Amino acid sequence: MKQIKLLVCFVFFCLCLTATANGTAAKKIVSFDLSKISNSNISNQVSYFSLNNNTNPAPNELPQLAEWLGTLPIQHGTNLLGDKYAVSFEIYNDTQQTEWFIYPNGSLVQHIEIRYYSDMQPAMSFDTGHGLDNQQDFHYGSSIEILPGQRKTLLLLFESDFFSSPIRILVKPQADAERLFQIESVILLLCLGICFALGIYNLFIFITTRDPKYIYYAVATSCYALGWAIGFGVPEFVGINHAEYWLIPTFLVGGFFSIFFNIRFLRLEEFSPKICKVLKLTATASLIALPIAFYSPGIGLYLAFIISSVILITGVYAGIHCWIKGYSPAKYFVFALLSVALPNIIGNLVSLGVLPGFNANIYLLSLVGVSLDSLLLAFALAAQVRLLSIHNKELTATLEKTVEKRTAELRHANIQLEQSNAELIEASNAKGRFLATMSHEIRTPLTSIIGYADGILHGDIDKSEQARVTKIIAENGNHLLSVINDILDISKIEANKLDFESIATPLFSVLAQIESIAGKRVRDKGLAFHLEYEFPLPAQINTDPTRLKQILFNLTNNAIKFTEQGYIGLSVRILNNRLQIQVKDSGEGISAQQQEQLFQPFTQADSSTNRRFGGTGLGLSIARRLAKGLGGDINVISAPRKGSTFILDFNLDVVQDSPWINNVAEIWQSTTTKSVLSTPLPNFVGNKVLLADDHPNNRELIAILLKRMNITVTEVEDGKQVLETIFYQTFDLILLDIHMPQMDGTDALKQIRAAGNYTPVIALTANNMKHEVDHYMRLGFSDHLAKPISRDNFISKLSLYLNKQGDIDSPLHQGDMLKLIKDYQLDLREQIANLQKALDQGDLTIISEIAHRIRGSAGSFGFDIIGQKFADIEHCALQDDEIAVTYELPKVIALTEQCIDLPGVDIATGIIKHHNSAEKFLLAIFELIEHSQQTLEDLRAALENNEIDDALEHFSKFFPNCYECALVRSEVAFKTLENLLKQGQVEPQQYSTQLEIIAAHLTELRAATQGNLMKEI
């Protein structure tokens, strides 16, 4: 209790000092010689002036500056809850250096305007601050040129919703400043990388061990690293704005989890219950302070200072207490907290104004302390593991001595104990293998991700190479994601938390997906691929299609990985009322000894497998456990250098009334086109809606759906027409587009609300980032609808604001959608022409406007891939990245032209047949063209040899895809050829003409789709 009382007194003393701190005394404009103030803090030698009630802007001429400052009251101290003030001083260059840097630092400031005044010249200014485009990454300030013997007067205008600490003002030589900033940036990124890496590493240890202290450590370390990243402006550097409001909350969350780490690691409930109680009360205080920190960052700063001080001081005291009691890992803990306590307590006292500022970057020193704290805590955890290991060894030794003294009657028990001990050793070895494998699998992609990311951040990689490098980063990130997914899958399986379902599944559709994806990978590797059926087979079975595909993809991918030449094949049959699917390959084969461990987690055939092929060793273990979840199993037949056969078999549960397939010709005939059950629309009769959207196709689509629900719709094109319409009409709901000509949606809403009209207004926009949606809600919109419009979400939103009168069983007709898509194709042609003209003229403003228009509308008409690409173009244009626009836009235009103009293809029908997705439609076209030539040759050869069954098999692979892709020019030829095959007629003069028509059309399509633009962009 004595220590707690001392702690309370210390905190009270700090708050008293803060309350009595005074601001800078009133002074006149001070003049400095650069030789005397170089690299020195002059913040205590200048005068500060309050701008809180000032309405006059700063003058642009030097003679008016003194008079303007004379009208301002003196500023006494910085208000941490938000402030607005100015400081002015004169500098005289009595050195030979001409390049200098004005460096205001030591606090988190949203906006700083730096003005330079010279005799008889207008003032020059530069804006800097948190979230702005600063000259130096992660640092505020501005460069200034002052010739030897020249004088300049500076005016600094500070404005922020909150200040984390008083400002320090330095004037440094430009070269010194750049060297300092480069060193600090490297230290910053290195420290953040260490903290995040340790957090991720301990997260994986938690997944393995389920020990809560590892997740407490991982979350606390990551929160502290995120907090410092926000403090240095790293989120804004990567394009995330307004992150400063998360600064204090992240430290409070980090403190909350660090408290429970301290309790768990030091075993305080055992060693010191009183300290444990104090820490738990502090954890409760941090949760209470969390919403306060969001509401008022200034108050949150005080609370965070008090809470962090309590955590650090109490933690150091508890660590020393446990260390004295003989708990050796506590010594690392004490050193870890001391490394972070000293710089952070000093930094907190500086932030609160209790201590004066330093020329050194105290916040960077605090981050270094946090990094050292994370490393030392990692050593503490390792020491704890070592202590447990020593304890286990001592216990084992004691048990061995005891067993040796036992009598013959206890030998049986001794044997059982040895068996248990062997299992423990095997579990320890398995854990070691897992950690080694995970370390390799995680560190390998992280090396590329961090290395290339650092290269981009430091400018080591040319802009022309950044697209390729970004692709490499994405590929390694996806690999890392697959490793984590494997770990989570095996964890769910072991915890019996993996759910299985049994639904009607088209067997041949599942196998067709495996053939389409795996077959392409096999052929790309130069191997042969075949799929064999032993008829009869049911068309539909009851099973879990997701898990079945996961098993088959796993087995085929495994076969592809270990097969360098030869073939890979699938065969399907029914044996003893069980469905059996075999995956065969001509690969290296597996010995009988290796097969015994093949399905164990984290195990591969031999130690060289991981080095040669990579992988976690989880795939086959997951596949077997999934097979058992389906009521079956996986077995393997293999021998070295003779290939392998993996056999999946499970109980056959045929869907009632499902047809049985007896030959290949019946497969495609039995495959029905998927139909979506039409859901009833709500009947909103009697409701009136005002729809405002400048895009006619968007407006027509939304209006059709509204009218289907018996809503009276009034359509307008811009904000002015909205105001004119609501002047003489009343509506139950207003759907208001954000970006419109004449007057946009936000301005229209302001005038609607100003006129006292509180009709519900829903914002329609393609700007769907959370901060953008929050901004619209703050402006007074009732709700938000993202473009492209989701039908279910649209109906759900309408139901919140309109009165429903029952249901209507008449969804949007396919004919209406077909017309809308064709109309939108014409609109896209016009927009592409305008884009090309704007590109030739280099007009980024028009490009961004057209790109935004297409981005917001394309997805509603099935052109999803177009909307995504134009979102990237809009972003580049808004960032004035002319190089990126010039490079990427022609490819996006070419892709758009592919989407709207393919010879002999009804594109609108094709998009509808592919679930209203141009991306899926184009992928189907590319897939069809890729395999069409070989399929046509096989079909022609079968016809020439009078092999009707083989011809039907090749035709069954070909015709449904051509029908789904809406190849209208070849449709008659396909129908004629189908009738000939069904009639068994194979005369050359009858089928040759049809094959030539189809081949000519496909050749023309191949030329029009030369190169898959979706992969290139």
Side-chain angles (χ1 to χ4, degrees):
M1 289 301 295
K2 182 179 180 180
Q3 291 81 359
I4 296 174
K5 292 178 180 178
L6 290 174
L7 174 63
V8 172
C9 292
F10 173 76
V11 173
F12 180 77
F13 174 72
C14 293
L15 292 175
C16 289
L17 287 177
T18 304
T20 58
N22 292 322
T24 305
K27 300 177 183 177
K28 297 180 179 180
I29 297 179
V30 184
S31 179
F32 297 101
D33 294 337
L34 285 177
S35 62
K36 296 180 180 178
I37 66 168
S38 178
N39 293 311
S40 299
N41 178 19
I42 63 171
S43 58
N44 292 327
Q45 306 175 48
V46 295
S47 299
Y48 294 84
F49 304 91
S50 176
L51 296 175
N52 286 318
N53 298 318
N54 178 60
T55 57
N56 297 321
N60 288 324
E61 302 290 340
L62 180 59
Q64 290 83 28
L65 178 60
E67 180 182 352
W68 180 74
L69 291 174
T71 63
L72 302 177
I74 296 299
Q75 174 85 359
H76 297 287
T78 302
N79 187 354
L80 300 185
L81 304 181
D83 214 340
K84 184 178 180 182
Y85 61 91
V87 60
S88 181
F89 56 91
E90 181 185 80
I91 51 178
Y92 171 71
N93 189 1
D94 59 343
T95 70
Q96 296 304 312
Q97 299 187 58
T98 60
E99 299 294 330
W100 295 83
F101 192 87
I102 308 302
Y103 182 31
N105 67 96
S107 181
L108 185 66
V109 186
Q110 292 176 308
H111 182 258
I112 305 171
E113 181 181 1
I114 302 176
R115 289 184 168 233
Y116 311 109
Y117 293 86
S118 299
D119 293 335
M120 307 306 293
Q121 291 184 2
M124 298 178 62
S125 67
F126 178 81
D127 291 335
T128 184
H130 202 85
L132 300 180
D133 189 11
N134 296 299
Q135 291 182 358
Q136 299 291 332
D137 295 335
F138 316 125
H139 296 82
Y140 305 153
S142 171
S143 299
I144 180 174
E145 181 181 14
I146 308 178
L147 300 177
Q150 186 180 14
R151 292 182 184 271
K152 283 196 176 181
T153 301
L154 277 72
L155 176 65
L156 278 66
L157 306 173
F158 298 91
E159 182 177 0
S160 184
D161 291 339
F162 56 89
F163 288 78
S164 64
S165 62
I167 286 290
R168 292 181 293 118
I169 302 174
L170 285 84
V171 181
K172 304 174 69 69
Q174 179 74 24
D176 293 349
E178 290 180 352
R179 283 193 297 270
L180 174 64
F181 296 157
Q182 289 173 357
I183 293 171
E184 290 186 351
S185 296
V186 170
I187 295 174
L188 167 66
L189 296 176
L190 179 62
C191 291
L192 292 177
I194 290 173
C195 292
F196 282 123
L198 288 172
I200 293 173
Y201 180 75
N202 280 273
L203 174 62
F204 287 124
I205 294 179
F206 164 74
I207 294 173
T208 306
T209 63
R210 298 296 177 181
D211 190 338
K213 67 173 174 287
Y214 290 103
I215 192 65
Y216 296 153
Y217 173 88
V219 176
T221 301
S222 300
C223 285
Y224 285 141
L226 179 60
W228 284 113
I230 293 171
F232 283 95
V234 175
E236 283 77 5
F237 179 76
V238 297
I240 302 174
N241 296 322
H242 307 298
E244 63 269 19
Y245 294 100
W246 289 88
L247 175 64
I248 302 303
T250 55
F251 282 109
L252 290 172
V253 174
F256 176 85
F257 282 96
S258 66
I259 286 172
F260 287 98
F261 172 80
N262 296 351
I263 294 172
R264 184 86 179 182
F265 178 82
L266 296 176
R267 298 186 292 181
L268 292 180
E269 293 179 342
E270 173 186 348
F271 284 110
S272 184
K274 291 183 179 179
I275 297 176
C276 179
K277 186 176 181 180
V278 171
L279 286 176
K280 287 184 177 179
L281 288 174
T282 308
T284 303
S286 66
L287 290 180
I288 296 173
L290 190 60
I292 299 175
F294 279 106
Y295 176 76
S296 175
I299 298 176
L301 177 65
Y302 282 96
L303 296 176
F305 159 69
I306 296 172
I307 291 171
S308 63
S309 298
V310 172
I311 294 171
L312 291 172
I313 296 173
T314 307
V316 170
Y317 173 80
I320 295 174
H321 180 71
C322 295
W323 188 2
I324 293 173
K325 286 194 172 185
Y327 185 53
S328 59
K331 62 184 177 181
Y332 293 102
F333 181 88
V334 171
F335 292 136
L337 286 195
L338 287 175
S339 68
V340 71
L342 295 177
N344 275 279
I345 289 179
I346 293 173
N348 286 335
L349 293 175
V350 171
S351 298
L352 296 174
V354 177
L355 293 179
F358 302 93
N359 283 347
N361 192 333
I362 187 65
Y363 298 110
L364 187 62
L365 293 177
S366 299
L367 176 57
V368 172
V370 170
S371 303
L372 290 175
D373 171 71
S374 301
L375 288 172
L376 289 172
L377 286 180
F379 288 138
L381 289 170
Q384 189 183 57
V385 173
R386 178 176 173 274
L387 188 64
L388 291 174
S389 177
I390 293 173
H391 179 72
N392 288 335
K393 289 181 180 179
E394 292 175 351
L395 179 61
T396 303
T398 303
L399 287 173
E400 289 176 351
K401 291 179 181 179
T402 303
V403 169
E404 290 175 356
K405 297 178 182 179
R406 295 244 180 224
T407 61
E409 291 81 5
L410 298 177
R411 288 180 181 176
H412 179 66
N414 186 41
I415 293 173
Q416 291 181 335
L417 181 61
E418 289 178 354
Q419 290 176 344
S420 300
N421 194 36
E423 292 175 358
L424 289 173
I425 293 173
E426 177 57 30
S428 178
N429 291 336
K431 177 182 176 181
R433 290 194 301 271
F434 166 72
L435 292 176
T437 303
M438 290 302 100
S439 177
H440 171 78
E441 288 298 316
I442 292 171
R443 289 176 183 274
T444 298
L446 278 179
T447 299
S448 296
I449 293 171
I450 295 174
Y452 280 119
D454 283 343
I456 294 174
L457 287 175
H458 294 108
D460 298 334
I461 297 175
D462 293 335
K463 202 159 192 177
S464 60
E465 287 289 306
Q466 287 185 7
R468 181 182 65 83
V469 168
T470 304
K471 183 178 180 182
I472 294 174
I473 293 175
E475 290 173 349
N476 282 275
N478 288 329
H479 172 68
L480 200 58
L481 179 62
S482 69
V483 173
I484 295 172
N485 286 338
D486 280 348
I487 296 172
L488 295 178
D489 268 354
I490 198 70
S491 300
K492 288 181 180 179
I493 292 171
E494 290 179 343
N496 293 322
K497 292 184 178 180
L498 200 62
D499 297 326
F500 292 86
E501 59 182 354
S502 180
I503 60 176
T505 302
L507 174 62
F508 293 98
S509 295
V510 172
L511 296 172
Q513 292 180 46
I514 302 299
E515 180 185 23
S516 174
I517 297 173
K520 183 178 185 303
R521 291 189 60 206
V522 170
R523 298 183 187 98
D524 290 344
K525 195 174 180 180
L527 306 174
F529 181 83
H530 61 264
L531 177 59
E532 299 175 349
Y533 303 106
E534 292 188 20
F535 298 105
L537 291 169
Q540 288 189 315
I541 60 174
N542 289 313
T543 187
D544 188 327
T546 302
R547 301 305 177 191
L548 178 58
K549 286 186 284 187
Q550 188 175 353
I551 295 170
L552 295 178
F553 276 127
N554 191 296
L555 295 179
T556 53
N557 289 338
N558 212 48
I560 295 170
K561 182 192 297 186
F562 294 102
T563 304
E564 298 299 330
Q565 58 183 1
Y567 69 91
I568 292 172
L570 270 71
S571 63
V572 187
R573 66 175 179 173
I574 295 175
L575 183 64
N576 298 328
N577 200 34
R578 294 174 67 85
L579 185 64
Q580 188 177 95
I581 302 176
Q582 298 184 1
V583 179
K584 306 176 183 178
D585 66 67
S586 59
E588 298 180 354
I590 309 166
S591 67
Q593 182 179 2
Q594 293 169 342
Q595 292 177 32
E596 295 178 0
Q597 300 181 346
L598 198 59
F599 294 96
Q600 296 298 319
F602 316 117
T603 303
Q604 294 183 325
D606 57 60
S607 59
S608 65
T609 301
N610 182 268
R611 294 194 299 270
R612 293 172 57 197
F613 300 102
T616 61
L618 293 173
L620 290 177
S621 174
I622 292 173
R624 168 169 275 185
R625 298 188 189 198
L626 291 177
K628 290 182 177 179
L630 296 179
D633 200 357
I634 297 177
N635 296 290
V636 60
I637 301 173
S638 183
R641 296 176 297 281
K642 293 185 179 180
S644 304
T645 300
F646 286 84
I647 304 170
L648 165 67
D649 74 307
F650 52 93
N651 291 328
L652 180 63
D653 183 5
V654 181
V655 174
Q656 187 176 3
D657 299 328
S658 170
W660 285 76
I661 307 303
N662 297 295
N663 55 60
V664 175
E666 295 179 4
I667 294 176
W668 66 271
Q669 292 175 344
S670 67
T671 304
T672 58
T673 304
K674 291 183 180 179
S675 60
V676 180
L677 294 176
S678 60
T679 56
L681 291 175
N683 185 359
F684 292 124
V685 64
N687 290 277
K688 296 173 64 179
V689 171
L690 175 60
L691 171 61
D693 195 316
D694 64 315
H695 197 294
N697 301 105
N698 265 354
R699 204 166 57 245
E700 183 180 2
L701 173 63
I702 298 172
I704 287 176
L705 189 55
L706 291 171
K707 292 173 183 177
R708 293 268 183 232
M709 294 180 279
N710 292 331
I711 296 173
T712 302
V713 184
T714 302
E715 302 177 44
V716 295
E717 298 181 359
D718 56 54
K720 285 189 175 181
Q721 293 182 11
V722 169
L723 299 178
E724 294 170 357
T725 305
I726 65 174
F727 181 75
Y728 59 87
Q729 290 190 59
T730 59
F731 296 92
D732 300 292
L733 180 65
I734 301 174
L735 302 177
L736 190 60
D737 188 21
I738 294 295
H739 294 282
M740 294 183 293
Q742 302 295 326
M743 179 185 292
D744 64 19
T746 57
D747 290 337
L749 177 71
K750 292 176 183 177
Q751 296 197 31
I752 291 172
R753 296 298 186 234
N757 188 327
Y758 293 97
T759 301
V761 181
I762 297 179
L764 302 176
T765 179
N767 298 331
N768 301 315
M769 298 294 288
K770 183 179 183 303
H771 70 275
E772 295 173 321
V773 175
D774 292 342
H775 172 67
Y776 298 144
M777 296 300 102
R778 287 195 297 269
L779 290 176
F781 281 97
S782 307
D783 218 322
H784 163 265
L785 270 171
K787 292 182 179 181
I789 300 296
S790 164
R791 179 180 179 274
D792 292 338
N793 189 35
F794 182 54
I795 295 172
S796 175
K797 296 285 187 184
L798 292 178
S799 300
L800 297 176
Y801 301 99
L802 300 180
N803 295 320
K804 182 179 175 182
Q805 304 294 331
D807 292 330
I808 306 170
D809 294 321
S810 58
L812 185 63
H813 297 318
Q814 192 178 73
D816 292 331
M817 196 64 205
L818 190 66
K819 178 182 180 300
L820 288 172
I821 294 176
K822 290 185 176 182
D823 290 343
Y824 190 70
Q825 282 181 264
L826 298 175
D827 183 69
L828 269 180
R829 288 192 180 95
E830 181 180 348
Q831 298 296 337
I832 290 303
N834 295 335
L835 264 178
Q836 188 62 57
K837 184 177 179 181
L839 179 61
D840 295 339
Q841 297 173 351
D843 193 333
L844 294 182
T845 301
I846 294 179
I847 290 175
S848 67
E849 291 175 356
I850 298 176
H852 180 85
R853 182 185 180 93
I854 297 176
R855 166 199 172 192
S857 60
S860 301
F861 302 95
F863 294 93
D864 44 357
I865 184 65
I866 300 301
Q868 297 166 14
K869 302 304 180 184
F870 274 104
D872 297 336
I873 294 298
E874 180 192 9
H875 176 74
C876 294
L878 291 174
Q879 297 295 322
D880 290 330
D881 192 347
E882 187 173 357
I883 295 176
V885 171
T886 305
Y887 179 74
E888 294 293 337
L889 184 54
K891 293 190 287 186
V892 176
I893 290 176
L895 175 61
T896 306
E897 290 173 343
Q898 275 190 358
C899 288
I900 61 177
D901 192 10
L902 288 174
V905 178
D906 187 342
I907 292 177
T909 301
I911 290 175
I912 289 176
K913 287 180 178 292
H914 288 83
H915 309 291
N916 288 342
S917 172
E919 181 177 11
K920 294 179 181 178
F921 168 64
L922 282 182
L923 288 173
I925 287 284
F926 294 139
E927 182 75 15
L928 173 66
I929 293 172
E930 182 177 357
H931 301 298
S932 62
Q933 186 172 357
Q934 183 63 47
T935 306
L936 274 176
E937 292 176 0
D938 294 341
L939 178 59
R940 186 184 296 275
L943 289 171
E944 290 175 352
N945 295 326
N946 201 20
E947 297 170 349
I948 298 298
D949 288 341
D950 288 346
L952 275 170
E953 179 179 353
H954 296 307
F955 188 78
S956 67
K957 295 179 182 178
F958 199 26
F959 173 64
N961 293 334
C962 296
Y963 173 75
E964 292 293 324
C965 291
L967 304 188
V968 292
R969 185 180 299 175
S970 306
E971 186 175 351
V972 175
F974 275 115
K975 290 289 186 182
T976 303
L977 192 57
E978 179 186 12
N979 293 331
L980 291 173
L981 290 173
K982 287 181 178 179
Q983 297 169 8
Q985 299 180 14
V986 292
E987 294 298 327
Q989 64 273 18
Q990 294 177 313
Y991 66 76
S992 295
T993 302
Q994 314 307 325
L995 289 178
E996 288 173 2
I997 293 173
I998 296 171
H1001 187 196
L1002 291 172
T1003 300
E1004 189 177 359
L1005 270 178
R1006 187 177 292 108
T1009 57
Q1010 190 67 32
N1012 189 340
L1013 292 173
M1014 287 191 294
K1015 293 182 178 179
E1016 295 178 8
I1017 301 177

